[in-house]
Amino acid sequence: MPVQCYENVSKDVKKIIKIDTENTSYVIGVIDDEQFLGHIYYGAYLNDYHLAYALRIQENPFVPSQNNGERLSFLDSFSMEYPAHGLGDFREDCISIEMPNGSTGLSFSFVSLNILEEKPRLSGLPSTFGDKGECTCVEIVCEDVHTGLKVVLLYTAFEKADVITRSVRIVNAGKAPLYLTRVLSACLDMDDKEFEVLSLHGSWARERQIKRMPVGYGRYSVESLRGESSHQEHPFMALLTKGTNQEYGEVYAMHFVYSGNFKALVEKDQFDQIRMVMGIHPEDFKWKLESGCEFQAPEVVLVYSGEGLGKMTRAFHDFYRNHLIQGTYRDKERPVLINNWEATYFDFDKEKLIQIAKEAAQSGIEMLVMDDGWFGNRFDDKRALGDWYVNEEKLPGGLKALADEVNGLGMKLGIWFEPEMISPDSDLYRAHPDWAIAIPGREGSLCRNQYVLDLTQREVVDYVYGRISQILHSANIEYVKWDMNRQLSDIGSAYLPADQTGEIYHRYMLAVYELQERMLKEFPYLLLENCSGGGARFDPGMLYYSPQIWCSDDTDAIERLKIQEGTALIYPLSTMGAHVSACPNHTVGRSTPLETRGHVALAGTFGYELDVTKLSEKEKEMISLQIAVYHKYNELVRCGDYYRIASYCENHFYDCYGVVSKDKTEALYTFVQVLGRPNHRSRRIYLKGLAPEKKYRIEGEEEINTGDVLMKAGYLVQNMWGDFRSRLIHLTEV
Ligand code: DGJ
């Protein structure tokens, strides 16, 4: 049984709750007469539950029932499962409130537990799921007797996936309304093991770059207060034992299934104890909870690996492929698409699009995606967001005529939307100036000349949905790129009362989730790709709705190596929107061979972002070849196990990663020689993930080698002439 509860383990330890997956264990204890919920252990699987000693309750300062004179010292050092604010645990806590009398302190005692065979959906939020038999849940209810506030901690053990998820529901069972001023979703208390912290950082066009540093005393956090998970920081944090690499070392990782403001923090205290927490950012958060009402906080995914980062990566990949991503396209090859953004920007009409589509169809491209600029008066980025009516000047006959013609070429049609926004120069804004998020009476801060719609207003959400639905019904549209090009600021509402302003960020996210949920329910065949000025909303929350997300506006093959390495650290390759674009690259001005651009984009959902009508015959031939290669290897890339072999970010010369089929009969490694080296012989790379006893032949070569040889003695990649060269190395079992 993956969840076990052991009663009266010792005088002070009333209960031990042990949650197991195949290779990990998570242990919680209920102690003292006050029934504190303590964290005992998370890590490699344990075959016994006798580890109450790890709570150190016999060490000074004892539990409060025996030494209440030192209660504060107890709270200041005890490993809490869900630490509360204000009564003596001075570390980063998970929950705080504001009562009508102004007080903020809380203390929770265990009340009950309930084991569930099916995982409940989290109301209004994206969350992971599993069929009966794939996961087991335990709900632990704790109460603050003083206020009547209850926390319901939900743990789910996905046994085969080796993943535990956590979330928290807060119930106001008291008589008075109160305000929640902080509700984090997960906490992990541990002894320090000379940890390093790994997090992902970046900016627009430089998303998710891997950074590592030692954990020192004090607090280190990554966070977003931008109303989206952001280009800058990612809702992910991992603690690694010193020297952890792809194969060795312990990793404790947390990833947040949420797309709005977040905080992930690690703290090292006076006793060399570590606390790692994750949840909705408490700043600008204040939620009014009436008596009898509930607040559901989003889910955190926990992965422990005792075999380095590689194992962590593969656990996340499998978990997200099987227990987070949904819909028709989850397990299907995605159509090769051509997007007109970098080909035309706003300067297009139906004729131009059809020219592109005709040429693209001949090369084997399967879908045309019409990007920004097809609606209202949208000739540039200064206007028209909100006016979701087709611009017939550009598209005579509307979307239907375009779709019919594109379909006639044997291609699908996809379109771009940015439904959450409103331009001040739009009919919508002129009619409803109070529909934009703004501080009443203060002029709002523009970004890309636009405001954000106040999706906390029901009328606004329904209006936006009505437009989406009408547009999607108007023609055979089979794909939507849902974009979001500015961050939230100027938080205020013409709709919510003043004491609920602190709810805007979270209510906004709930409305975005609702819109996408409604859209997919009404149009279940749609392929949805989320996007936010590139990859600012590449997060597990959005992945619940869209099986792929645009990785970055930076389509340069070399910059993409770094962005895709950081993204693939957690996300399956099937989720990473990756396109081949023109050279010199529009973001960095670099020219790379078309072959390399193709090889790098093959690591994601494959597509093009250039004007095919301007390519030479030779380039068009190369595109047809690339598409054939995409079809040949896509199942392997989409479903296989990912191995990182060398990182250009670390060695500054070359990059190499591979995908191995689950049965280990086939593998594809991508090698990119970023910088050519004069007078250099072949480079030996040590392949990973193969079966040692199996014999493999490399496509195009005669020799047969065992997996053992290829992994231990390596494979020689010949030096290629010039910078930015690449090779695919494809192996099959013989
Ligand atoms: C930002 C996206 O990332 C781009 O791909 C493109 O869709 C533009 N927005 C359009 O405004």
Side-chain angles (χ1 to χ4, degrees):
M1 203 34 200
V3 180
Q4 297 275 6
C5 183
Y6 305 93
E7 304 287 340
N8 298 318
V9 179
S10 70
K11 185 167 76 59
D12 292 319
V13 180
K14 311 290 177 204
K15 264 186 189 38
I16 284 202
I17 303 153
K18 186 163 180 279
I19 304 167
D20 292 324
T21 67
E22 240 170 50
N23 297 295
T24 71
S25 293
Y26 192 109
V27 187
I28 301 165
V30 178
I31 68 147
D32 195 32
D33 297 344
E34 278 188 61
Q35 312 258 339
F36 293 105
L37 200 67
H39 180 76
I40 307 184
Y41 176 85
Y42 178 45
Y45 177 80
L46 300 174
N47 65 6
D48 191 11
Y49 68 93
H50 285 103
L51 65 157
Y53 66 89
L55 282 170
R56 297 190 170 93
I57 46 184
Q58 292 314 318
E59 292 176 27
N60 278 334
F62 276 83
V63 287
S65 60
Q66 292 171 47
N67 186 9
N68 204 30
E70 285 304 339
R71 186 181 181 89
L72 206 76
S73 310
F74 166 78
L75 291 170
D76 194 18
S77 59
F78 184 65
S79 286
M80 281 288 182
E81 187 56 28
Y82 193 68
H85 181 76
L87 301 184
D89 184 341
F90 296 103
R91 295 159 288 180
E92 188 80 9
D93 53 67
C94 283
I95 178 161
S96 67
I97 54 167
E98 203 181 290
M99 292 297 288
N101 66 6
S103 66
T104 59
L106 285 160
S107 172
F108 287 101
S109 306
F110 172 87
V111 177
S112 63
L113 71 77
N114 188 16
I115 296 174
L116 313 166
E117 280 180 22
E118 280 183 65
K119 184 171 189 274
R121 284 283 159 111
L122 307 187
S123 166
L125 287 167
S127 60
T128 61
F129 50 82
D131 288 340
K132 217 170 166 184
E134 288 181 321
C135 60
T136 308
C137 304
V138 56
E139 262 188 351
I140 302 178
V141 182
C142 298
E143 185 179 22
D144 174 59
V145 282
H146 203 75
T147 56
L149 202 67
K150 286 190 172 142
V151 297
V152 183
L153 306 175
L154 176 71
Y155 298 79
T156 305
F158 289 84
E159 290 136 72
K160 288 238 157 8
D162 265 331
V163 168
I164 291 173
T165 64
R166 284 186 65 170
S167 61
V168 181
R169 187 158 46 92
I170 312 294
V171 184
N172 184 358
K175 291 201 172 60
L178 51 80
Y179 295 95
L180 299 170
T181 52
R182 163 190 290 254
V183 183
L184 302 191
S185 295
C187 172
L188 211 50
D189 277 3
M190 296 182 272
D191 283 6
D192 189 19
K193 294 183 178 177
E194 286 195 81
F195 281 123
E196 292 176 13
V197 56
L198 183 155
S199 43
L200 301 170
H201 299 262
S203 73
W204 173 77
R206 253 190 303 114
E207 294 90 339
R208 292 174 295 286
Q209 319 268 318
I210 299 171
K211 300 286 172 231
R212 277 168 80 152
M213 67 172 102
V215 174
Y217 291 103
R219 296 176 191 194
Y220 166 78
S221 66
V222 294
E223 45 192 69
S224 167
L225 277 165
R226 297 164 183 268
E228 60 177 2
S229 46
S230 89
H231 300 98
Q232 287 74 14
E233 306 200 352
H234 192 76
F236 173 82
M237 183 174 267
L239 299 181
L240 323 175
T241 47
K242 208 172 168 182
T244 291
N245 60 18
Q246 287 295 313
E247 283 81 30
Y248 303 105
E250 287 187 286
V251 182
Y252 299 84
M254 279 190 185
H255 204 192
F256 201 25
V257 188
Y258 190 60
S259 315
N261 290 352
F262 73 89
K263 180 171 195 164
L265 180 143
V266 58
E267 173 175 9
K268 181 166 161 177
D269 73 6
Q270 55 186 330
F271 304 113
D272 290 348
Q273 295 180 130
I274 295 288
R275 175 169 286 175
M276 174 161 62
V277 295
M278 183 172 272
I280 292 180
H281 204 304
E283 210 171 307
D284 286 333
F285 172 85
K286 187 173 175 183
W287 194 273
K288 187 173 188 182
L289 201 63
E290 300 283 357
S291 166
C293 290
E294 299 187 352
F295 176 82
Q296 175 65 60
E299 187 174 34
V300 168
V301 177
L302 288 148
V303 170
Y304 166 81
S305 159
E307 292 163 43
L309 284 166
K311 190 166 179 203
M312 174 206 78
T313 293
R314 290 184 288 281
F316 273 115
H317 285 196
D318 281 343
F319 186 60
Y320 288 161
R321 283 188 290 217
N322 297 323
H323 300 288
L324 179 65
I325 302 169
Q326 311 174 82
T328 338
Y329 278 97
R330 178 180 104 153
D331 303 317
K332 270 219 282 213
E333 191 171 307
R334 318 285 159 75
V336 177
L337 67 83
I338 184 150
N339 178 303
N340 73 304
W341 180 240
E342 288 194 27
T344 65
Y345 295 102
F346 292 100
D347 186 16
F348 68 87
D349 56 16
K350 184 172 166 213
E351 205 182 314
K352 178 70 199 164
L353 293 176
I354 294 298
Q355 277 170 12
I356 292 178
K358 275 188 178 149
E359 201 61 66
Q362 278 179 19
S363 306
I365 295 176
E366 297 156 312
M367 179 159 73
L368 173 76
V369 175
M370 177 173 60
D371 212 280
D372 195 354
W374 55 266
F375 51 91
N377 191 21
R378 184 85 169 163
F379 288 93
D380 54 29
D381 67 8
K382 294 192 172 54
R383 64 203 88 242
L385 289 170
D387 296 344
W388 300 109
Y389 296 91
V390 182
N391 183 318
E392 295 246 359
E393 214 179 293
K394 286 187 183 184
L395 301 175
L399 290 171
K400 171 120 181 43
L402 179 68
D404 288 349
E405 210 161 323
V406 170
N407 291 164
L409 296 168
M411 293 175 89
K412 296 176 192 292
L413 177 70
I415 62 168
W416 177 98
F417 258 123
E418 194 176 359
E420 300 160 56
M421 297 294 150
I422 182 165
S423 308
D425 182 1
S426 66
D427 292 342
L428 188 68
Y429 188 78
R430 282 182 281 276
H432 301 284
D434 57 336
W435 279 14
I437 291 182
I439 298 172
R442 183 186 281 267
E443 196 187 330
S445 313
L446 284 165
C447 177
R448 210 193 189 209
N449 309 298
Q450 64 201 53
Y451 295 130
V452 183
L453 278 171
D454 181 0
L455 297 180
T456 66
Q457 301 188 37
R458 173 55 38 203
E459 198 187 357
V460 179
V461 175
D462 289 342
Y463 174 81
V464 169
Y465 188 71
R467 293 311 310 138
I468 295 174
S469 170
Q470 198 273 327
I471 293 285
L472 294 182
H473 274 300
S474 73
N476 186 24
I477 296 161
E478 298 180 70
Y479 161 108
V480 164
K481 176 176 175 187
W482 182 302
D483 203 351
M484 194 269 192
N485 281 301
R486 67 153 290 175
Q487 300 165 339
L488 273 62
S489 66
D490 304 71
I491 295 304
S493 171
Y495 169 75
L496 283 175
D499 69 340
Q500 286 182 272
T501 305
E503 299 179 14
I504 292 177
Y505 278 114
H506 184 59
R507 280 178 181 267
Y508 180 85
M509 269 333 304
L510 293 177
V512 172
Y513 292 146
E514 181 198 313
L515 283 170
Q516 297 206 349
E517 181 104 37
R518 277 167 82 174
M519 185 176 78
L520 293 170
K521 214 165 178 186
E522 192 174 353
F523 305 96
Y525 55 83
L526 260 192
L527 172 56
L528 175 64
E529 177 155 352
N530 270 295
C531 167
S532 175
R537 251 198 200 157
F538 205 122
D539 58 60
M542 298 323 284
L543 212 54
Y544 178 77
Y545 303 97
S546 63
Q548 59 194 59
I549 302 178
W550 184 227
C551 221
S552 176
D553 276 346
D554 194 336
T555 49
D556 170 65
I558 304 308
E559 285 303 307
R560 274 290 180 130
L561 290 176
K562 301 187 242 173
I563 296 166
Q564 293 180 187
E565 179 183 352
T567 308
L569 182 74
I570 334 172
Y571 297 97
L573 304 187
S574 61
T575 65
M576 303 198 305
H579 297 169
V580 174
S581 63
C583 278
N585 179 269
H586 294 194
T587 310
V588 293
R590 178 164 26 215
S591 289
T592 50
L594 181 53
E595 184 180 39
T596 303
R597 281 176 267 154
H599 287 166
V600 173
L602 275 179
T605 68
F606 194 68
Y608 291 85
E609 186 115 3
L610 40 70
D611 189 346
V612 267
T613 63
K614 294 192 177 140
L615 298 183
S616 68
E617 285 310 310
K618 216 168 139 212
E619 287 172 315
K620 283 184 219 163
E621 272 168 36
M622 168 79 86
I623 288 188
S624 301
L625 210 81
Q626 289 176 337
I627 292 170
V629 170
Y630 164 78
H631 289 306
K632 186 169 167 195
Y633 299 137
N634 184 258
E635 188 173 339
L636 174 61
V637 172
R638 208 166 18 85
C639 312
D641 286 333
Y642 175 86
Y643 290 86
R644 169 64 47 187
I645 292 169
S647 161
Y648 161 58
C649 300
E650 287 170 17
N651 64 39
H652 309 299
F653 275 111
Y654 66 102
D655 202 74
C656 188
Y657 49 87
V659 184
V660 182
S661 65
K662 292 276 177 198
D663 62 3
K664 298 196 183 286
T665 56
E666 192 187 0
L668 180 73
Y669 298 91
T670 308
F671 178 90
V672 181
Q673 174 183 292
V674 179
L675 297 181
R677 233 182 175 187
N679 194 21
H680 186 71
R681 297 196 300 167
S682 55
R683 193 176 289 284
R684 193 192 295 245
I685 52 165
Y686 299 91
L687 303 185
K688 292 181 184 172
L690 299 174
E693 71 291 354
K694 283 195 196 302
K695 289 184 177 154
Y696 297 94
R697 175 182 282 129
I698 293 178
E699 200 177 319
E701 296 182 17
E702 282 306 307
E703 206 171 312
I704 290 173
N705 291 112
T706 61
D708 196 42
V709 164
L710 291 166
M711 292 192 291
K712 289 180 183 156
Y715 172 75
L716 302 179
V717 185
Q718 298 305 313
N719 193 26
M720 290 171 273
W721 196 77
D723 296 342
F724 317 134
R725 302 281 147 178
S726 61
R727 254 203 75 181
L728 294 180
I729 303 156
H730 180 233
L731 278 74
T732 38
E733 189 191 4
V734 287

